[in-house]
Every structure is written in C-alpha cells, then in structure tokens.
Amino acid sequence: MMSATASLAATHLVPFAADELDKNKVTPGVLGFIVFALIGGAVWLLMKSMNKHMKKVDFEETPASPDQGGTGSGGKAARTTTVTKGAAPKGEPAT
C-alpha cells in the first residue's frame, strides 16, 4: 500500500510526465535496476565463496620422471598433479 507522501508525489508528477512520455521508448526503470543489482550481488557472493573454497585446495605437483617422456629434445614434460586433502606429511605413512 502506498503511503500518503508517495501518493501525493505520484499525483503531482503524473501530469508532468504525460506531456514528455514517449510511447515508443522502453526503459528498464527501477525494477530493471533492482534485478541487475541482485544479479551483481549474487555474482559477488559466488566469487567470494569460490575464493574461500579454492584456498582450501591443497595439491602437490610431482616432477616428471624420465620414463614418462621427460624434457628431452624440445618435448614437453608430462605433469601430474595429485590432490592430497588431509594426506599425511612427507615421510610419514598415511593411516
């Protein structure tokens, strides 16, 4: 329900807008701005969450061994990565 102030403002502005209103012009208005702001806020929250989860990722890159191709005569070395979430430190057996 509109307040008295909003109703009074709307009744005073409608005659001014009627003279300048272009029926062929479409604008997003306040609703478009609100939707755009909500989408922007959702993207910001998703990026914040993604950064938090990416900081939790712990990986260890193992060097390429010669039997996997190595780095000989201009060839690219094969890289393998292993995700070690909650793994034991080096030198200790995993339980």
Side-chain angles (χ1 to χ4, degrees):
M1 195 159 215
M2 287 180 30
S3 70
T5 307
S7 176
L8 183 63
T11 57
H12 284 293
L13 292 177
V14 169
F16 296 124
D19 294 335
E20 300 172 8
L21 184 63
D22 184 11
K23 300 280 186 190
N24 297 322
K25 185 177 180 183
V26 178
T27 61
V30 177
L31 181 62
F33 174 75
I34 291 171
V35 169
F36 185 76
L38 288 174
I39 291 172
V43 168
W44 181 74
L45 288 172
L46 285 171
M47 292 293 291
K48 189 175 176 180
S49 175
M50 183 190 70
N51 282 331
K52 184 172 75 172
H53 285 286
M54 290 300 286
K55 287 179 183 177
K56 290 181 182 178
V57 173
D58 183 27
F59 69 95
E60 182 178 318
E61 188 172 339
T62 57
S65 62
D67 60 331
Q68 291 181 344
T71 56
S73 68
K76 293 185 177 179
R79 292 187 179 192
T80 58
T81 58
T82 57
V83 177
T84 58
K85 184 176 181 181
K90 290 183 179 179
E92 295 182 17
T95 55

